[in-house]
PDB file of all heavy atoms in Angstrom:
ATOM      1  N   TYR A   1      42.386 -43.017  19.652  1.00 94.00           N
ATOM      2  CA  TYR A   1      42.389 -42.209  18.455  1.00 94.00           C
ATOM      3  C   TYR A   1      43.750 -42.208  17.714  1.00 94.00           C
ATOM      4  O   TYR A   1      43.796 -42.236  16.492  1.00 94.00           O
ATOM      5  CB  TYR A   1      41.922 -40.773  18.754  1.00 94.00           C
ATOM      6  CG  TYR A   1      41.724 -39.941  17.545  1.00 94.00           C
ATOM      7  CD1 TYR A   1      40.915 -40.383  16.496  1.00 94.00           C
ATOM      8  CD2 TYR A   1      42.137 -38.605  17.468  1.00 94.00           C
ATOM      9  CE1 TYR A   1      40.663 -39.545  15.355  1.00 94.00           C
ATOM     10  CE2 TYR A   1      41.896 -37.776  16.332  1.00 94.00           C
ATOM     11  CZ  TYR A   1      41.231 -38.337  15.282  1.00 94.00           C
ATOM     12  OH  TYR A   1      40.989 -37.532  14.261  1.00 94.00           O
ATOM     13  N   SER A   2      44.805 -42.197  18.453  1.00 93.00           N
ATOM     14  CA  SER A   2      46.105 -42.289  17.960  1.00 93.00           C
ATOM     15  C   SER A   2      46.318 -43.559  17.154  1.00 93.00           C
ATOM     16  O   SER A   2      46.859 -43.613  16.074  1.00 93.00           O
ATOM     17  CB  SER A   2      47.185 -42.166  19.033  1.00 93.00           C
ATOM     18  OG  SER A   2      48.481 -42.330  18.513  1.00 93.00           O
ATOM     19  N   ARG A   3      45.810 -44.742  17.684  1.00 90.00           N
ATOM     20  CA  ARG A   3      45.879 -45.986  16.986  1.00 90.00           C
ATOM     21  C   ARG A   3      45.027 -45.910  15.695  1.00 90.00           C
ATOM     22  O   ARG A   3      45.433 -46.431  14.678  1.00 90.00           O
ATOM     23  CB  ARG A   3      45.367 -47.040  17.847  1.00 90.00           C
ATOM     24  CG  ARG A   3      46.252 -47.447  19.036  1.00 90.00           C
ATOM     25  CD  ARG A   3      45.629 -48.443  19.911  1.00 90.00           C
ATOM     26  NE  ARG A   3      46.416 -48.688  21.114  1.00 90.00           N
ATOM     27  CZ  ARG A   3      46.597 -49.863  21.636  1.00 90.00           C
ATOM     28  NH1 ARG A   3      46.049 -50.950  21.041  1.00 90.00           N
ATOM     29  NH2 ARG A   3      47.341 -50.041  22.688  1.00 90.00           N
ATOM     30  N   ILE A   4      43.967 -45.320  15.758  1.00 89.00           N
ATOM     31  CA  ILE A   4      43.039 -45.194  14.556  1.00 89.00           C
ATOM     32  C   ILE A   4      43.691 -44.436  13.478  1.00 89.00           C
ATOM     33  O   ILE A   4      43.728 -44.769  12.275  1.00 89.00           O
ATOM     34  CB  ILE A   4      41.696 -44.559  14.933  1.00 89.00           C
ATOM     35  CG1 ILE A   4      40.874 -45.527  15.809  1.00 89.00           C
ATOM     36  CG2 ILE A   4      40.864 -44.116  13.691  1.00 89.00           C
ATOM     37  CD1 ILE A   4      39.649 -44.958  16.414  1.00 89.00           C
ATOM     38  N   ARG A   5      44.324 -43.251  13.816  1.00 92.00           N
ATOM     39  CA  ARG A   5      44.946 -42.439  12.871  1.00 92.00           C
ATOM     40  C   ARG A   5      46.082 -43.126  12.121  1.00 92.00           C
ATOM     41  O   ARG A   5      46.456 -42.765  10.978  1.00 92.00           O
ATOM     42  CB  ARG A   5      45.486 -41.119  13.503  1.00 92.00           C
ATOM     43  CG  ARG A   5      44.415 -40.247  13.974  1.00 92.00           C
ATOM     44  CD  ARG A   5      44.888 -38.958  14.528  1.00 92.00           C
ATOM     45  NE  ARG A   5      45.526 -38.128  13.548  1.00 92.00           N
ATOM     46  CZ  ARG A   5      44.879 -37.369  12.719  1.00 92.00           C
ATOM     47  NH1 ARG A   5      43.540 -37.226  12.757  1.00 92.00           N
ATOM     48  NH2 ARG A   5      45.534 -36.579  11.745  1.00 92.00           N
ATOM     49  N   GLN A   6      46.679 -44.163  12.770  1.00 92.00           N
ATOM     50  CA  GLN A   6      47.811 -44.907  12.152  1.00 92.00           C
ATOM     51  C   GLN A   6      47.339 -46.130  11.378  1.00 92.00           C
ATOM     52  O   GLN A   6      48.180 -46.765  10.682  1.00 92.00           O
ATOM     53  CB  GLN A   6      48.781 -45.350  13.238  1.00 92.00           C
ATOM     54  CG  GLN A   6      49.443 -44.147  13.959  1.00 92.00           C
ATOM     55  CD  GLN A   6      50.305 -44.569  15.133  1.00 92.00           C
ATOM     56  OE1 GLN A   6      50.818 -45.708  15.184  1.00 92.00           O
ATOM     57  NE2 GLN A   6      50.417 -43.703  16.119  1.00 92.00           N
ATOM     58  N   ASP A   7      46.084 -46.406  11.361  1.00 88.00           N
ATOM     59  CA  ASP A   7      45.529 -47.620  10.732  1.00 88.00           C
ATOM     60  C   ASP A   7      45.592 -47.372   9.169  1.00 88.00           C
ATOM     61  O   ASP A   7      45.014 -46.465   8.651  1.00 88.00           O
ATOM     62  CB  ASP A   7      44.095 -47.828  11.150  1.00 88.00           C
ATOM     63  CG  ASP A   7      43.527 -49.139  10.677  1.00 88.00           C
ATOM     64  OD1 ASP A   7      43.821 -49.573   9.547  1.00 88.00           O
ATOM     65  OD2 ASP A   7      42.711 -49.751  11.367  1.00 88.00           O
ATOM     66  N   PRO A   8      46.279 -48.254   8.505  1.00 89.00           N
ATOM     67  CA  PRO A   8      46.462 -48.098   6.984  1.00 89.00           C
ATOM     68  C   PRO A   8      45.199 -48.339   6.157  1.00 89.00           C
ATOM     69  O   PRO A   8      45.166 -48.147   4.955  1.00 89.00           O
ATOM     70  CB  PRO A   8      47.604 -49.022   6.627  1.00 89.00           C
ATOM     71  CG  PRO A   8      47.457 -50.170   7.710  1.00 89.00           C
ATOM     72  CD  PRO A   8      46.985 -49.512   8.955  1.00 89.00           C
ATOM     73  N   ARG A   9      44.104 -48.833   6.814  1.00 84.00           N
ATOM     74  CA  ARG A   9      42.863 -49.093   6.100  1.00 84.00           C
ATOM     75  C   ARG A   9      42.134 -47.844   5.739  1.00 84.00           C
ATOM     76  O   ARG A   9      41.118 -47.902   5.055  1.00 84.00           O
ATOM     77  CB  ARG A   9      41.982 -50.096   6.826  1.00 84.00           C
ATOM     78  CG  ARG A   9      42.632 -51.447   6.903  1.00 84.00           C
ATOM     79  CD  ARG A   9      41.749 -52.379   7.833  1.00 84.00           C
ATOM     80  NE  ARG A   9      41.872 -51.923   9.198  1.00 84.00           N
ATOM     81  CZ  ARG A   9      41.456 -52.527  10.260  1.00 84.00           C
ATOM     82  NH1 ARG A   9      40.809 -53.637  10.067  1.00 84.00           N
ATOM     83  NH2 ARG A   9      41.625 -52.046  11.505  1.00 84.00           N
ATOM     84  N   HIS A  10      42.520 -46.677   6.282  1.00 85.00           N
ATOM     85  CA  HIS A  10      41.897 -45.460   5.919  1.00 85.00           C
ATOM     86  C   HIS A  10      42.860 -44.331   5.898  1.00 85.00           C
ATOM     87  O   HIS A  10      43.986 -44.408   6.315  1.00 85.00           O
ATOM     88  CB  HIS A  10      40.681 -45.182   6.805  1.00 85.00           C
ATOM     89  CG  HIS A  10      41.058 -45.007   8.317  1.00 85.00           C
ATOM     90  ND1 HIS A  10      40.240 -44.361   9.191  1.00 85.00           N
ATOM     91  CD2 HIS A  10      42.079 -45.393   8.979  1.00 85.00           C
ATOM     92  CE1 HIS A  10      40.769 -44.343  10.349  1.00 85.00           C
ATOM     93  NE2 HIS A  10      41.918 -44.953  10.319  1.00 85.00           N
ATOM     94  N   CYS A  11      42.471 -43.278   5.164  1.00 91.00           N
ATOM     95  CA  CYS A  11      43.248 -42.045   5.071  1.00 91.00           C
ATOM     96  C   CYS A  11      42.342 -40.820   5.189  1.00 91.00           C
ATOM     97  O   CYS A  11      41.182 -40.933   5.392  1.00 91.00           O
ATOM     98  CB  CYS A  11      43.929 -42.065   3.692  1.00 91.00           C
ATOM     99  SG  CYS A  11      42.742 -41.967   2.296  1.00 91.00           S
ATOM    100  N   ASP A  12      42.977 -39.684   4.971  1.00 91.00           N
ATOM    101  CA  ASP A  12      42.286 -38.420   4.987  1.00 91.00           C
ATOM    102  C   ASP A  12      41.489 -38.315   6.293  1.00 91.00           C
ATOM    103  O   ASP A  12      40.276 -37.959   6.315  1.00 91.00           O
ATOM    104  CB  ASP A  12      41.390 -38.305   3.793  1.00 91.00           C
ATOM    105  CG  ASP A  12      40.908 -36.812   3.582  1.00 91.00           C
ATOM    106  OD1 ASP A  12      41.510 -35.926   4.070  1.00 91.00           O
ATOM    107  OD2 ASP A  12      39.859 -36.653   2.845  1.00 91.00           O
ATOM    108  N   VAL A  13      42.083 -38.612   7.417  1.00 91.00           N
ATOM    109  CA  VAL A  13      41.429 -38.597   8.686  1.00 91.00           C
ATOM    110  C   VAL A  13      41.177 -37.083   9.059  1.00 91.00           C
ATOM    111  O   VAL A  13      42.203 -36.343   9.104  1.00 91.00           O
ATOM    112  CB  VAL A  13      42.186 -39.326   9.841  1.00 91.00           C
ATOM    113  CG1 VAL A  13      41.507 -39.197  11.229  1.00 91.00           C
ATOM    114  CG2 VAL A  13      42.418 -40.786   9.426  1.00 91.00           C
ATOM    115  N   ARG A  14      39.999 -36.722   9.283  1.00 88.00           N
ATOM    116  CA  ARG A  14      39.684 -35.350   9.623  1.00 88.00           C
ATOM    117  C   ARG A  14      38.971 -35.184  10.898  1.00 88.00           C
ATOM    118  O   ARG A  14      37.942 -35.732  11.095  1.00 88.00           O
ATOM    119  CB  ARG A  14      38.777 -34.791   8.446  1.00 88.00           C
ATOM    120  CG  ARG A  14      38.437 -33.326   8.645  1.00 88.00           C
ATOM    121  CD  ARG A  14      37.799 -32.728   7.430  1.00 88.00           C
ATOM    122  NE  ARG A  14      37.392 -31.359   7.838  1.00 88.00           N
ATOM    123  CZ  ARG A  14      36.522 -30.655   7.169  1.00 88.00           C
ATOM    124  NH1 ARG A  14      35.813 -31.180   6.145  1.00 88.00           N
ATOM    125  NH2 ARG A  14      36.182 -29.454   7.523  1.00 88.00           N
ATOM    126  N   ASP A  15      39.566 -34.419  11.798  1.00 87.00           N
ATOM    127  CA  ASP A  15      38.911 -34.143  13.043  1.00 87.00           C
ATOM    128  C   ASP A  15      37.692 -33.230  12.877  1.00 87.00           C
ATOM    129  O   ASP A  15      37.783 -32.203  12.197  1.00 87.00           O
ATOM    130  CB  ASP A  15      39.878 -33.418  14.056  1.00 87.00           C
ATOM    131  CG  ASP A  15      41.097 -34.257  14.364  1.00 87.00           C
ATOM    132  OD1 ASP A  15      41.100 -35.464  14.153  1.00 87.00           O
ATOM    133  OD2 ASP A  15      42.077 -33.606  14.874  1.00 87.00           O
ATOM    134  N   LEU A  16      36.571 -33.681  13.351  1.00 85.00           N
ATOM    135  CA  LEU A  16      35.299 -32.914  13.195  1.00 85.00           C
ATOM    136  C   LEU A  16      34.935 -32.169  14.449  1.00 85.00           C
ATOM    137  O   LEU A  16      34.384 -31.070  14.438  1.00 85.00           O
ATOM    138  CB  LEU A  16      34.222 -33.766  12.788  1.00 85.00           C
ATOM    139  CG  LEU A  16      34.307 -34.500  11.456  1.00 85.00           C
ATOM    140  CD1 LEU A  16      33.138 -35.321  11.142  1.00 85.00           C
ATOM    141  CD2 LEU A  16      34.691 -33.584  10.355  1.00 85.00           C
ATOM    142  N   TYR A  17      35.198 -32.835  15.627  1.00 85.00           N
ATOM    143  CA  TYR A  17      34.798 -32.223  16.892  1.00 85.00           C
ATOM    144  C   TYR A  17      35.631 -32.905  17.978  1.00 85.00           C
ATOM    145  O   TYR A  17      35.789 -34.072  18.039  1.00 85.00           O
ATOM    146  CB  TYR A  17      33.340 -32.464  17.145  1.00 85.00           C
ATOM    147  CG  TYR A  17      32.871 -31.944  18.474  1.00 85.00           C
ATOM    148  CD1 TYR A  17      32.634 -30.649  18.723  1.00 85.00           C
ATOM    149  CD2 TYR A  17      32.696 -32.812  19.535  1.00 85.00           C
ATOM    150  CE1 TYR A  17      32.253 -30.166  20.049  1.00 85.00           C
ATOM    151  CE2 TYR A  17      32.257 -32.470  20.752  1.00 85.00           C
ATOM    152  CZ  TYR A  17      32.061 -31.086  21.014  1.00 85.00           C
ATOM    153  OH  TYR A  17      31.706 -30.609  22.225  1.00 85.00           O
ATOM    154  N   THR A  18      36.096 -32.116  18.897  1.00 88.00           N
ATOM    155  CA  THR A  18      36.636 -32.558  20.188  1.00 88.00           C
ATOM    156  C   THR A  18      36.039 -31.692  21.271  1.00 88.00           C
ATOM    157  O   THR A  18      36.107 -30.426  21.225  1.00 88.00           O
ATOM    158  CB  THR A  18      38.184 -32.435  20.181  1.00 88.00           C
ATOM    159  OG1 THR A  18      38.731 -33.200  19.106  1.00 88.00           O
ATOM    160  CG2 THR A  18      38.781 -32.876  21.507  1.00 88.00           C
ATOM    161  N   GLY A  19      35.453 -32.334  22.309  1.00 87.00           N
ATOM    162  CA  GLY A  19      34.871 -31.618  23.376  1.00 87.00           C
ATOM    163  C   GLY A  19      34.720 -32.492  24.542  1.00 87.00           C
ATOM    164  O   GLY A  19      35.176 -33.684  24.623  1.00 87.00           O
ATOM    165  N   TYR A  20      34.105 -31.942  25.586  1.00 90.00           N
ATOM    166  CA  TYR A  20      33.956 -32.642  26.844  1.00 90.00           C
ATOM    167  C   TYR A  20      32.512 -32.551  27.284  1.00 90.00           C
ATOM    168  O   TYR A  20      31.790 -31.672  27.053  1.00 90.00           O
ATOM    169  CB  TYR A  20      34.879 -32.039  27.913  1.00 90.00           C
ATOM    170  CG  TYR A  20      36.361 -32.122  27.494  1.00 90.00           C
ATOM    171  CD1 TYR A  20      36.994 -31.193  26.730  1.00 90.00           C
ATOM    172  CD2 TYR A  20      37.066 -33.191  28.012  1.00 90.00           C
ATOM    173  CE1 TYR A  20      38.298 -31.342  26.435  1.00 90.00           C
ATOM    174  CE2 TYR A  20      38.342 -33.365  27.693  1.00 90.00           C
ATOM    175  CZ  TYR A  20      38.977 -32.402  26.905  1.00 90.00           C
ATOM    176  OH  TYR A  20      40.321 -32.521  26.549  1.00 90.00           O
ATOM    177  N   ALA A  21      32.033 -33.642  27.998  1.00 88.00           N
ATOM    178  CA  ALA A  21      30.741 -33.757  28.483  1.00 88.00           C
ATOM    179  C   ALA A  21      30.733 -34.326  29.944  1.00 88.00           C
ATOM    180  O   ALA A  21      31.715 -34.952  30.264  1.00 88.00           O
ATOM    181  CB  ALA A  21      29.930 -34.680  27.536  1.00 88.00           C
ATOM    182  N   ASP A  22      29.647 -34.115  30.596  1.00 89.00           N
ATOM    183  CA  ASP A  22      29.544 -34.664  31.921  1.00 89.00           C
ATOM    184  C   ASP A  22      29.239 -36.204  31.867  1.00 89.00           C
ATOM    185  O   ASP A  22      29.700 -36.950  32.718  1.00 89.00           O
ATOM    186  CB  ASP A  22      28.489 -33.929  32.743  1.00 89.00           C
ATOM    187  CG  ASP A  22      28.866 -32.525  33.105  1.00 89.00           C
ATOM    188  OD1 ASP A  22      30.067 -32.276  33.281  1.00 89.00           O
ATOM    189  OD2 ASP A  22      27.934 -31.670  33.161  1.00 89.00           O
ATOM    190  N   LEU A  23      28.477 -36.523  30.900  1.00 88.00           N
ATOM    191  CA  LEU A  23      28.091 -37.987  30.771  1.00 88.00           C
ATOM    192  C   LEU A  23      28.347 -38.534  29.323  1.00 88.00           C
ATOM    193  O   LEU A  23      28.380 -37.659  28.351  1.00 88.00           O
ATOM    194  CB  LEU A  23      26.567 -38.120  31.057  1.00 88.00           C
ATOM    195  CG  LEU A  23      26.076 -37.657  32.337  1.00 88.00           C
ATOM    196  CD1 LEU A  23      24.567 -37.654  32.425  1.00 88.00           C
ATOM    197  CD2 LEU A  23      26.586 -38.580  33.459  1.00 88.00           C
ATOM    198  N   ARG A  24      28.505 -39.838  29.174  1.00 88.00           N
ATOM    199  CA  ARG A  24      28.666 -40.359  27.923  1.00 88.00           C
ATOM    200  C   ARG A  24      27.388 -40.331  27.093  1.00 88.00           C
ATOM    201  O   ARG A  24      26.399 -40.542  27.674  1.00 88.00           O
ATOM    202  CB  ARG A  24      29.137 -41.813  28.007  1.00 88.00           C
ATOM    203  CG  ARG A  24      30.546 -41.972  28.641  1.00 88.00           C
ATOM    204  CD  ARG A  24      30.836 -43.439  28.918  1.00 88.00           C
ATOM    205  NE  ARG A  24      32.152 -43.565  29.583  1.00 88.00           N
ATOM    206  CZ  ARG A  24      33.173 -44.009  29.024  1.00 88.00           C
ATOM    207  NH1 ARG A  24      33.254 -44.421  27.819  1.00 88.00           N
ATOM    208  NH2 ARG A  24      34.312 -44.147  29.739  1.00 88.00           N
ATOM    209  N   ALA A  25      27.514 -40.160  25.774  1.00 85.00           N
ATOM    210  CA  ALA A  25      26.345 -40.295  24.889  1.00 85.00           C
ATOM    211  C   ALA A  25      26.105 -41.757  24.685  1.00 85.00           C
ATOM    212  O   ALA A  25      24.890 -42.098  24.464  1.00 85.00           O
ATOM    213  CB  ALA A  25      26.630 -39.620  23.642  1.00 85.00           C
ATOM    214  N   TYR A  26      27.066 -42.671  24.736  1.00 82.00           N
ATOM    215  CA  TYR A  26      26.896 -44.013  24.422  1.00 82.00           C
ATOM    216  C   TYR A  26      27.471 -44.930  25.575  1.00 82.00           C
ATOM    217  O   TYR A  26      28.511 -45.682  25.321  1.00 82.00           O
ATOM    218  CB  TYR A  26      27.603 -44.436  23.095  1.00 82.00           C
ATOM    219  CG  TYR A  26      27.124 -43.508  21.961  1.00 82.00           C
ATOM    220  CD1 TYR A  26      27.940 -42.441  21.530  1.00 82.00           C
ATOM    221  CD2 TYR A  26      25.912 -43.680  21.386  1.00 82.00           C
ATOM    222  CE1 TYR A  26      27.486 -41.586  20.539  1.00 82.00           C
ATOM    223  CE2 TYR A  26      25.497 -42.805  20.336  1.00 82.00           C
ATOM    224  CZ  TYR A  26      26.236 -41.806  19.987  1.00 82.00           C
ATOM    225  OH  TYR A  26      25.762 -40.972  18.979  1.00 82.00           O
ATOM    226  N   PRO A  27      26.929 -44.851  26.732  1.00 83.00           N
ATOM    227  CA  PRO A  27      27.595 -45.469  27.937  1.00 83.00           C
ATOM    228  C   PRO A  27      27.615 -47.043  27.784  1.00 83.00           C
ATOM    229  O   PRO A  27      28.504 -47.654  28.445  1.00 83.00           O
ATOM    230  CB  PRO A  27      26.689 -45.146  29.090  1.00 83.00           C
ATOM    231  CG  PRO A  27      25.404 -44.722  28.498  1.00 83.00           C
ATOM    232  CD  PRO A  27      25.646 -44.191  27.128  1.00 83.00           C
ATOM    233  N   ASP A  28      26.701 -47.642  27.030  1.00 78.00           N
ATOM    234  CA  ASP A  28      26.649 -49.124  26.986  1.00 78.00           C
ATOM    235  C   ASP A  28      27.203 -49.773  25.655  1.00 78.00           C
ATOM    236  O   ASP A  28      27.148 -50.874  25.443  1.00 78.00           O
ATOM    237  CB  ASP A  28      25.227 -49.559  27.211  1.00 78.00           C
ATOM    238  CG  ASP A  28      24.696 -49.149  28.464  1.00 78.00           C
ATOM    239  OD1 ASP A  28      25.367 -49.207  29.455  1.00 78.00           O
ATOM    240  OD2 ASP A  28      23.519 -48.773  28.524  1.00 78.00           O
ATOM    241  N   TRP A  29      27.850 -48.837  24.801  1.00 73.00           N
ATOM    242  CA  TRP A  29      28.280 -49.369  23.485  1.00 73.00           C
ATOM    243  C   TRP A  29      29.794 -49.288  23.445  1.00 73.00           C
ATOM    244  O   TRP A  29      30.358 -48.158  23.326  1.00 73.00           O
ATOM    245  CB  TRP A  29      27.739 -48.476  22.441  1.00 73.00           C
ATOM    246  CG  TRP A  29      26.168 -48.546  22.227  1.00 73.00           C
ATOM    247  CD1 TRP A  29      25.322 -49.360  22.833  1.00 73.00           C
ATOM    248  CD2 TRP A  29      25.415 -47.721  21.336  1.00 73.00           C
ATOM    249  NE1 TRP A  29      24.079 -49.115  22.418  1.00 73.00           N
ATOM    250  CE2 TRP A  29      24.081 -48.197  21.460  1.00 73.00           C
ATOM    251  CE3 TRP A  29      25.734 -46.748  20.407  1.00 73.00           C
ATOM    252  CZ2 TRP A  29      23.073 -47.655  20.772  1.00 73.00           C
ATOM    253  CZ3 TRP A  29      24.694 -46.195  19.676  1.00 73.00           C
ATOM    254  CH2 TRP A  29      23.438 -46.667  19.810  1.00 73.00           C
ATOM    255  N   GLN A  30      30.482 -50.439  23.519  1.00 67.00           N
ATOM    256  CA  GLN A  30      31.917 -50.408  23.359  1.00 67.00           C
ATOM    257  C   GLN A  30      32.174 -49.929  21.922  1.00 67.00           C
ATOM    258  O   GLN A  30      33.253 -49.408  21.700  1.00 67.00           O
ATOM    259  CB  GLN A  30      32.432 -51.853  23.595  1.00 67.00           C
ATOM    260  CG  GLN A  30      32.808 -52.124  25.001  1.00 67.00           C
ATOM    261  CD  GLN A  30      31.545 -52.089  25.873  1.00 67.00           C
ATOM    262  OE1 GLN A  30      30.507 -52.645  25.538  1.00 67.00           O
ATOM    263  NE2 GLN A  30      31.612 -51.491  27.020  1.00 67.00           N
ATOM    264  N   MET A  31      31.346 -50.212  21.035  1.00 68.00           N
ATOM    265  CA  MET A  31      31.434 -49.593  19.638  1.00 68.00           C
ATOM    266  C   MET A  31      30.179 -50.081  18.896  1.00 68.00           C
ATOM    267  O   MET A  31      30.209 -51.227  18.426  1.00 68.00           O
ATOM    268  CB  MET A  31      32.690 -49.931  18.939  1.00 68.00           C
ATOM    269  CG  MET A  31      32.780 -49.227  17.617  1.00 68.00           C
ATOM    270  SD  MET A  31      32.567 -47.425  17.691  1.00 68.00           S
ATOM    271  CE  MET A  31      33.821 -46.948  18.813  1.00 68.00           C
ATOM    272  N   ALA A  32      29.216 -49.214  18.839  1.00 65.00           N
ATOM    273  CA  ALA A  32      28.040 -49.528  18.029  1.00 65.00           C
ATOM    274  C   ALA A  32      28.444 -49.220  16.647  1.00 65.00           C
ATOM    275  O   ALA A  32      29.299 -48.450  16.303  1.00 65.00           O
ATOM    276  CB  ALA A  32      26.854 -48.763  18.459  1.00 65.00           C
ATOM    277  N   CYS A  33      27.755 -49.903  15.636  1.00 66.00           N
ATOM    278  CA  CYS A  33      28.049 -49.682  14.242  1.00 66.00           C
ATOM    279  C   CYS A  33      26.775 -49.581  13.410  1.00 66.00           C
ATOM    280  O   CYS A  33      25.885 -50.459  13.588  1.00 66.00           O
ATOM    281  CB  CYS A  33      28.938 -50.787  13.760  1.00 66.00           C
ATOM    282  SG  CYS A  33      29.538 -50.682  12.108  1.00 66.00           S
ATOM    283  N   ARG A  34      26.692 -48.703  12.529  1.00 66.00           N
ATOM    284  CA  ARG A  34      25.502 -48.510  11.660  1.00 66.00           C
ATOM    285  C   ARG A  34      25.997 -48.263  10.227  1.00 66.00           C
ATOM    286  O   ARG A  34      26.803 -47.364   9.993  1.00 66.00           O
ATOM    287  CB  ARG A  34      24.671 -47.381  12.108  1.00 66.00           C
ATOM    288  CG  ARG A  34      24.065 -47.465  13.493  1.00 66.00           C
ATOM    289  CD  ARG A  34      23.030 -48.528  13.578  1.00 66.00           C
ATOM    290  NE  ARG A  34      22.455 -48.559  14.854  1.00 66.00           N
ATOM    291  CZ  ARG A  34      22.731 -49.482  15.768  1.00 66.00           C
ATOM    292  NH1 ARG A  34      23.673 -50.324  15.569  1.00 66.00           N
ATOM    293  NH2 ARG A  34      22.139 -49.445  16.961  1.00 66.00           N
ATOM    294  N   PRO A  35      25.552 -49.018   9.315  1.00 65.00           N
ATOM    295  CA  PRO A  35      25.811 -48.738   7.858  1.00 65.00           C
ATOM    296  C   PRO A  35      24.821 -47.572   7.432  1.00 65.00           C
ATOM    297  O   PRO A  35      23.734 -47.508   7.848  1.00 65.00           O
ATOM    298  CB  PRO A  35      25.504 -50.052   7.127  1.00 65.00           C
ATOM    299  CG  PRO A  35      24.476 -50.730   7.977  1.00 65.00           C
ATOM    300  CD  PRO A  35      24.736 -50.303   9.463  1.00 65.00           C
ATOM    301  N   LEU A  36      25.401 -46.724   6.558  1.00 65.00           N
ATOM    302  CA  LEU A  36      24.627 -45.675   5.992  1.00 65.00           C
ATOM    303  C   LEU A  36      24.771 -45.721   4.493  1.00 65.00           C
ATOM    304  O   LEU A  36      25.795 -46.074   3.947  1.00 65.00           O
ATOM    305  CB  LEU A  36      25.034 -44.334   6.515  1.00 65.00           C
ATOM    306  CG  LEU A  36      24.997 -44.106   7.972  1.00 65.00           C
ATOM    307  CD1 LEU A  36      25.537 -42.715   8.210  1.00 65.00           C
ATOM    308  CD2 LEU A  36      23.537 -44.165   8.478  1.00 65.00           C
ATOM    309  N   ILE A  37      23.716 -45.261   3.746  1.00 57.00           N
ATOM    310  CA  ILE A  37      23.866 -45.002   2.401  1.00 57.00           C
ATOM    311  C   ILE A  37      24.154 -43.526   2.256  1.00 57.00           C
ATOM    312  O   ILE A  37      23.324 -42.671   2.547  1.00 57.00           O
ATOM    313  CB  ILE A  37      22.572 -45.370   1.635  1.00 57.00           C
ATOM    314  CG1 ILE A  37      22.261 -46.882   1.775  1.00 57.00           C
ATOM    315  CG2 ILE A  37      22.655 -44.957   0.154  1.00 57.00           C
ATOM    316  CD1 ILE A  37      20.959 -47.329   1.172  1.00 57.00           C
ATOM    317  N   ALA A  38      25.404 -43.228   1.946  1.00 48.00           N
ATOM    318  CA  ALA A  38      25.902 -41.802   2.060  1.00 48.00           C
ATOM    319  C   ALA A  38      25.370 -40.943   0.985  1.00 48.00           C
ATOM    320  O   ALA A  38      25.523 -39.673   1.145  1.00 48.00           O
ATOM    321  CB  ALA A  38      27.433 -41.819   2.120  1.00 48.00           C
ATOM    322  N   SER A  39      24.780 -41.399  -0.067  1.00 47.00           N
ATOM    323  CA  SER A  39      24.367 -40.566  -1.179  1.00 47.00           C
ATOM    324  C   SER A  39      22.847 -40.808  -1.365  1.00 47.00           C
ATOM    325  O   SER A  39      22.444 -41.624  -2.122  1.00 47.00           O
ATOM    326  CB  SER A  39      25.128 -40.888  -2.442  1.00 47.00           C
ATOM    327  OG  SER A  39      26.432 -40.642  -2.289  1.00 47.00           O
TER     328      SER A  39
END
C-alpha cells in the first residue's frame, strides 16, 4: 500500500476501510481485475 500511494499514475488516494479477517476474501488472486462502467 505504501508503494501504491507513491505511484504517480494516480492521486487523491482515499482510505475506505482497514480491518482484519481470519481468512482472505481472495486467496487465489494475486490481483484480480475487473473493469466497471462507473456511471
Side-chain angles (χ1 to χ4, degrees):
Y1 189 46
S2 175
R3 290 175 184 221
I4 289 168
R5 291 184 67 82
Q6 296 173 28
D7 188 324
R9 292 174 291 191
H10 62 160
C11 64
D12 195 21
V13 179
R14 181 171 176 201
D15 299 343
L16 302 181
Y17 175 79
T18 299
Y20 296 86
D22 292 328
L23 300 172
R24 294 174 187 253
Y26 307 102
D28 300 321
W29 293 355
Q30 276 63 44
M31 186 51 57
C33 184
R34 299 287 184 262
L36 300 177
I37 298 174
S39 299

